Amino acid sequence: MKQSNRLGERFDWTLAFIILLFAIISFFVIGSAQTSEQYTQNFVIKQVRWYVLGSLIVAMVMYFEPDQYKKMAWYFYGFGIFLLLFLMLAPGGPGQIAEMRYSAKRWLHLPVIGTIQPAEFIKTFFIIGLARMVSSHNERMLHRTYKTDFLLLGKIALMLIFPLFFIMKQPDLGTSLVFISITAAVVIVSGISWKILAPLFAVGAASAGGLLWMALYAQDVLDKIGFSPYQFKRVYSWLDPYSYPTDEGYNLINAMTAIGSGELTGKGFLGRNVYIPENHTDFIFSVIGEEYGFIGACLVITLYFILIYHLTKVALSLHDSFSVYVCVGVIAMITFHVFENIGMNIQLLPITGIPLPFISYGGSSLFSNMLAIGLIFSMKFHQRTYMFASDNDN
């Protein structure tokens, strides 16, 4: 087993260049979005500062080897659960530790650090813990049986239930779906028999369809199990936004209008004329579609495809199962964010408040993504090549 001593060979320059392109896009699009009359501060300066700090996070995370993250995995997971519990119990309101926004308690206001959203960081902590648990289980259970597969599924479900409980209490359906997508992706590559997974995913899909049907035709049943009228309205405004033009459907209608008005080539930088509240965060894709049109939007989507393709190549090149599971979790997290954010801007999916990775304004979101990307850099940087590996392994 050997490892190259050359920094240039071990560092993932391609991934660094892709992130640099996202940073440039983010600065330009946020710079245009903040010209709306609703904003009085310079978000671009803050986003530049957060990218600089995010780069330091990547450098710090890359310094440590994957084995060290594997050893510390349960501490990361436990710290994440502690943060969620602290957020739930902390007093919320003006001047309090927990900050309330839009009737949700998802943010902590900390001295010096400022406002952070714990759930953003916990996604990466959860990936590390999940990768440790699955890899350790498979290392111990060399002979796979239905019993060992069901045991692994039980462990995974137990790990998932705690963050889901606390996040749904905030409430934050979008982030809960991110955790489910991460878990589903890792389960698929965990080695569990498809004779177990196929019925399990079929039941999951049927349950999701059943919930949607009940939201439309049997609201009383969902009322009894804790769903709120606000969540029903989210579904209704997604399926028929023009029936709610002044409240839940307002942002979606304007987002689709903005993207459609951009046509093929867009209106150009600062050429927007469709007003969308908070268009520098969750609805930043509408700014891209309006100013740079179908071509600009496709280029951004293509860049995300390139990012996912590159991360997949990195995962396939790794020899350590823990590192592979971490990569799969990061890929699932980013892919779901991209699909959900763009989907909710074009009415393909309901609005859930999911930011567009590396482009939307926001320190917590960017730091979380950079933390996850830092893990990928670490896996690639510290990868060891086996002396007698075949060409297919390298």
Side-chain angles (χ1 to χ4, degrees):
M1 188 169 61
K2 59 182 180 178
Q3 184 182 55
S4 174
N5 291 322
R6 295 183 180 179
L7 175 63
E9 293 179 0
R10 296 165 58 190
F11 185 76
D12 195 336
W13 295 101
T14 302
L15 182 56
F17 181 67
I18 293 172
I19 301 301
L20 176 62
L21 291 179
F22 276 119
I24 295 171
I25 293 171
S26 178
F27 301 153
F28 271 96
V29 180
I30 292 174
S32 176
Q34 71 179 15
T35 58
S36 300
E37 294 180 359
Q38 59 180 313
Y39 306 125
T40 59
Q41 54 182 309
N42 193 327
F43 293 119
V44 177
I45 298 299
K46 288 187 175 181
Q47 189 77 347
V48 170
R49 184 171 69 238
W50 286 334
Y51 253 106
V52 172
L53 293 174
S55 300
L56 295 177
I57 291 175
V58 169
M60 181 180 65
V61 173
M62 188 179 69
Y63 176 81
F64 298 98
E65 296 190 12
D67 285 346
Q68 293 172 290
Y69 289 109
K70 187 175 182 179
K71 292 176 182 177
M72 296 290 292
W74 295 123
Y75 295 101
F76 286 117
Y77 176 78
F79 179 65
I81 298 301
F82 168 77
L83 283 178
L84 289 176
L85 177 62
F86 179 75
L87 177 63
M88 185 179 74
L89 299 178
Q96 301 292 335
I97 296 176
E99 184 174 332
M100 300 290 293
R101 297 181 191 176
Y102 312 111
S103 301
K105 191 165 71 168
R106 304 173 189 168
W107 296 266
L108 285 175
H109 188 72
L110 304 176
V112 181
I113 298 176
T115 302
I116 65 167
Q117 189 173 356
E120 290 292 336
F121 299 94
I122 293 161
K123 288 181 287 190
T124 305
F125 297 160
F126 177 75
I127 290 172
I128 297 173
L130 186 62
R132 161 67 188 273
M133 193 269 293
V134 174
S135 61
S136 297
H137 174 91
N138 288 340
E139 289 167 5
R140 290 193 301 269
M141 306 294 180
L142 297 179
H143 179 63
R144 303 298 293 266
T145 64
Y146 288 135
K147 181 179 179 180
T148 61
D149 285 352
F150 277 114
L151 178 61
L152 178 57
L153 277 175
K155 293 177 181 179
I156 292 172
L158 190 62
M159 278 198 68
L160 178 62
I161 195 169
F162 289 105
L164 274 187
F165 171 79
F166 290 120
I167 290 171
M168 288 300 292
K169 280 288 186 180
Q170 293 181 3
D172 190 350
L173 177 62
T175 302
S176 298
L177 294 176
V178 176
F179 276 88
I180 293 173
S181 68
I182 291 169
T183 304
V186 174
V187 165
I188 289 172
V189 300
S190 66
I192 295 175
S193 172
W194 274 101
K195 292 181 180 179
I196 297 175
L197 292 185
L200 185 65
F201 284 123
V203 170
S207 300
L211 284 174
L212 179 59
W213 182 86
M214 286 190 288
L216 295 174
Y217 304 109
Q219 298 93 334
D220 293 343
V221 177
L222 294 181
D223 278 335
K224 294 177 181 178
I225 59 177
F227 285 84
S228 66
Y230 172 76
Q231 292 170 318
F232 297 146
K233 214 168 186 181
R234 276 287 180 94
V235 175
Y236 305 149
S237 63
W238 162 47
L239 297 174
D240 185 15
Y242 294 97
S243 295
Y244 306 88
T246 59
D247 42 32
E248 275 77 8
Y250 180 80
N251 284 354
L252 178 56
I253 292 171
N254 284 10
M256 292 191 294
T257 301
I259 294 171
S261 66
E263 298 182 344
L264 184 63
T265 58
K267 302 172 183 176
F269 182 63
L270 299 179
R272 294 177 305 103
N273 52 32
V274 179
Y275 173 79
I276 304 174
E278 306 298 328
N279 61 352
H280 63 309
T281 54
D282 298 341
F283 289 94
I284 201 163
F285 186 76
S286 67
V287 178
I288 297 171
E290 184 175 8
E291 294 194 348
Y292 304 101
F294 179 77
I295 293 176
C298 284
L299 289 175
V300 171
I301 294 173
T302 300
L303 186 58
Y304 279 115
F305 272 114
I306 293 172
L307 172 63
I308 299 303
Y309 173 73
H310 181 75
L311 296 181
T312 303
K313 282 183 61 179
V314 172
L316 292 173
S317 71
L318 298 173
H319 303 287
D320 172 45
S321 61
F322 170 76
S323 300
V324 172
Y325 295 139
V326 169
C327 285
V328 169
V330 172
I331 291 169
M333 180 181 73
I334 295 175
T335 301
F336 183 86
H337 268 259
V338 173
F339 187 72
E340 169 59 30
N341 182 274
I342 295 176
M344 76 180 191
N345 273 266
I346 59 177
Q347 205 187 356
L348 182 64
L349 294 170
I351 295 174
T352 58
I354 293 289
L356 191 60
F358 305 107
I359 295 181
S360 289
Y361 169 83
S364 293
S365 173
L366 182 59
F367 289 164
S368 172
N369 288 323
M370 295 297 267
L371 179 63
I373 289 297
L375 290 173
I376 306 297
F377 275 106
S378 172
M379 308 303 174
K380 183 72 178 291
F381 188 78
H382 297 288
Q383 180 180 198
R384 290 173 173 82
T385 303
Y386 290 82
M387 188 177 298
F388 299 104
S390 66
D391 291 339
N392 294 329
D393 293 332
N394 295 316

